Amino acid sequence: MWPFPHCYLNMDRRRLVLNYIVLIISTIVGLVIVELALRFLQSPAVGMSHQPLLYRIDQKLGYRYIPNAIGRIHRNFEIDNLITLNSRGFHDIEHHLSPSSRRIVAIGDSFTAAIHVSKSQIWSQILQSKLRNKWQDNTVEVINLGIDGTGSNIHLELLRQHAIELQPETVVV
């Protein structure tokens, strides 16, 4: 079968096993050297992400934002935003509601919460500005009650919790 004599084949097996052992040991040593070099050099992470601790446990919602919390969010090379939550615990301006104000409540998920942009760029604030200009009425208040990662069940609960206090004319979900 084999073109080599039997004793030569046994010698090749020993050499082959020895080569495999040397290969495995050298691979392990090489990986350890690379790991130590990477730990020593500590190159900057590509795509680094940081989500500030803005949340607390809530019995009805599961979680919500912490009122008056401040944190910086940054993701990859796209987002770097200082977040300041208002006294109600939402990423919105502080609304000082007068009895004569016309109130619109915006409830939603991350598109409404918009913690990745400054407050002036949130769609609810843009809507407030446009309505005030169009109607020539500075009493229009668009109140943002958005919490990222939520669904319609949470939005309904937010409305239940805030509707009596805010008395909105309109709710935008």
Side-chain angles (χ1 to χ4, degrees), residues 1-154:
M1 279 194 234
W2 288 90
F4 306 109
H6 182 64
C7 64
Y8 188 70
L9 189 59
N10 284 339
M11 194 164 74
D12 274 350
R13 280 188 186 162
R14 281 189 218 129
R15 192 175 280 154
L16 187 63
V17 169
L18 185 60
N19 285 344
Y20 279 130
I21 291 172
V22 169
L23 177 67
I24 290 170
I25 291 173
S26 62
T27 301
I28 291 170
V29 169
L31 289 173
V32 168
I33 290 170
V34 168
E35 177 69 24
L36 292 173
L38 289 173
R39 286 183 184 213
F40 178 73
L41 296 175
Q42 292 182 354
S43 60
V46 177
M48 188 173 212
S49 177
H50 173 71
Q51 181 82 18
L53 295 174
L54 301 173
Y55 306 93
R56 70 173 186 202
I57 295 172
D58 183 275
Q59 295 299 325
K60 291 188 177 183
L61 303 176
Y63 64 91
R64 69 177 319 134
Y65 296 130
I66 300 169
N68 300 311
I70 298 173
R72 180 168 293 285
I73 184 174
H74 53 90
R75 286 191 198 131
N76 304 326
F77 304 104
E78 302 168 347
I79 300 169
D80 187 9
N81 188 36
L82 179 65
I83 301 161
T84 55
L85 302 177
N86 65 15
S87 61
R88 284 189 181 87
F90 295 97
H91 186 229
D92 194 12
I93 63 171
E94 207 57 60
H95 292 277
H96 304 288
L97 305 173
S98 70
S100 63
S101 67
R102 301 176 68 185
R103 296 179 197 128
I104 299 170
V105 168
I107 295 179
D109 57 11
S110 58
F111 290 104
T112 301
I115 62 173
H116 55 284
V117 298
S118 67
K119 289 180 184 177
S120 64
Q121 295 175 317
I122 299 171
W123 70 262
S124 59
Q125 285 304 300
I126 294 170
L127 177 62
Q128 177 178 290
S129 177
K130 289 186 181 258
L131 291 175
R132 283 181 175 184
N133 287 337
K134 181 174 178 142
W135 295 342
Q136 298 295 307
D137 184 357
N138 283 335
T139 66
V140 174
E141 299 282 340
V142 180
I143 303 161
N144 185 334
L145 301 182
I147 300 178
D148 60 321
T150 57
S152 56
N153 59 332
I154 302 302

